[in-house]
Amino acid sequence: MRRKHAILTVLTTGALAAAAVLTVTPSANAATTLGSAASAKGKYFGTAAAAYKFSDSVYTGILDREFTMVTPENEMKWDATEPSQNSFSYSSADTIVNRAKANGQRVRGHALAWHSQQPGWVSSLSGTALRNAMINHITNVATHYKGQLYAWDVVNEAFSDNGDGSRRSSNLQNTGNDWIEVAFKTARAADSTAKLCYNDYNTDGVNAKSTAVYNMVKDFLARGVPIDCVGFQSHINSASPLPSDYQANLQRFADLGVEVQITELDIAGSGSAQATTYANVVKACLAVTKCAGITVWGIRDSDSWRSGDTPLLFDNSGNPKAAYNSVISAFGATTSSPSASVSPSVSVSPSTSTSPGTGGACTATFSNNAWTGGFVTTVTVKAGSSVLNGWRVGITLPSGAAITNSWSTTASGSSGAVTFSNVNYNGSVAAGASTSFGFQGTGSAPSGTASCSA
Ligand code: XIL
């Protein structure tokens, strides 16, 4: 589990001498996140991520804090990885994979063979030439990521929405009905460790399309064609609401012996209706032992491929929505920080009237998850015997270290002695209660003491 290996926890109480405590267990005050709530139930919680957004610190802050699985949103598709025939381009996808690995997150590969987002050169091919191009593509891309991925969406969206269980017409389908099994065999030959998934939409309930996929999986298993998992995209909106037999549908695939994964979840709507539907998806996955986890298709509403539907768990500013809280609760956890329940909240400015430690106003503890060249620090701010209305934490970074992003706080600088102030949703802390924030940096992780003033 990422960020659970606390290396050093340092307690400080104002001007009192600091006590350093070595610990190998998570801090009791560790913030609940989507990832930690899911992990506690043996599931992962992932998101689609876009490499071009990594310069946005609000985006990376949430990505690093909340998720244990990452799917490149577009960077592993055929047009991105093989823009001209037999010339491969992995830099954007590698950026995502390497960043995820550095943060202890796993990666779902998406997608090796699909009728959409193909490079232009593919459209001039057909027959054996196209079949061979597909095999070459899968072999190269799966080999490049060999041993690095949790799963691959080997084939995406190969069935039609006609209601008759037929295959979608496409150039790949025109190469012969066996194109799907050839794709799976090719992927397995290149990478024997990634789980190989079939992925589709409008397969979320029991219907003609999902039954056609079900029959294909059953047939593959009977004939020894390698397939390990089925992905249910779960793009939910008014035209395609969450089916009442969602869980039963997941279960019937699980009963075939494959893992099931919710791969591209987004739910149009807002407020409690949206929150309830999100909770129902989580409950369905929890009820199906072979449901390995849930991936949402983006972080903030503004990151969504259908942003007009406000379908995600964070608003455009990166604040958690009601649906975020309902996901956490559906996993049986409780929200700590950030909390959507305080929204809308007034902006609270930190007061400087109380000097650190005086009256036990607040204490700050922190833990690091460090790797060669970088670190993530999670800080817990605990109120003393009085309510906090704004707080500030001081931490001095070692020479050469620099903060690259932070979340649930505003940092005064990026190196040396840095002051971290509350943001609007976590300035108010009840007496004896805690809130958390974090930051990521390059260089060595901080050690020593944190000061806290209110
Ligand atoms: C979408 C991406 O989110 C967009 O950025 C892109 O422009 C189009 O593709 N089903 C899939 C995903 O399997 O790859 C799609 O992602 C959404 C539908």
Side-chain angles (χ1 to χ4, degrees), residues 210-275:
S210 64
T211 298
V213 176
Y214 177 89
N215 289 333
M216 178 188 73
V217 173
K218 197 172 174 184
D219 171 55
F220 279 13
L221 293 170
R223 291 191 294 113
V225 177
I227 185 164
D228 306 303
C229 37
V230 176
F232 299 84
Q233 294 185 8
S234 304
H235 295 295
I236 306 300
N237 53 45
S238 51
S240 161
L242 191 71
S244 56
D245 53 7
Y246 187 72
Q247 180 185 319
N249 189 49
L250 297 177
Q251 187 65 58
R252 72 171 173 154
F253 280 87
D255 290 343
L256 287 176
V258 287
E259 184 171 297
V260 296
Q261 304 171 6
I262 294 155
T263 52
E264 304 183 14
L265 180 64
D266 49 15
I267 300 172
S270 62
S272 60
Q274 182 181 50

Side-chain angles (χ1 to χ4, degrees), residues 48 72-74 77 110-111 114 116-117 153 156-157 199 201 233 235 264 297 303-306:
E73 186 171 357
N74 289 297
K77 293 172 182 175
H110 173 79
W114 188 24
S116 186
Q117 291 182 264
D153 289 330
N156 198 30
E157 303 181 351
N199 191 51
Y201 69 92
Q233 294 185 8
H235 295 295
E264 304 183 14
W297 206 241
D303 299 314
S304 171
W305 68 309
R306 50 193 192 107

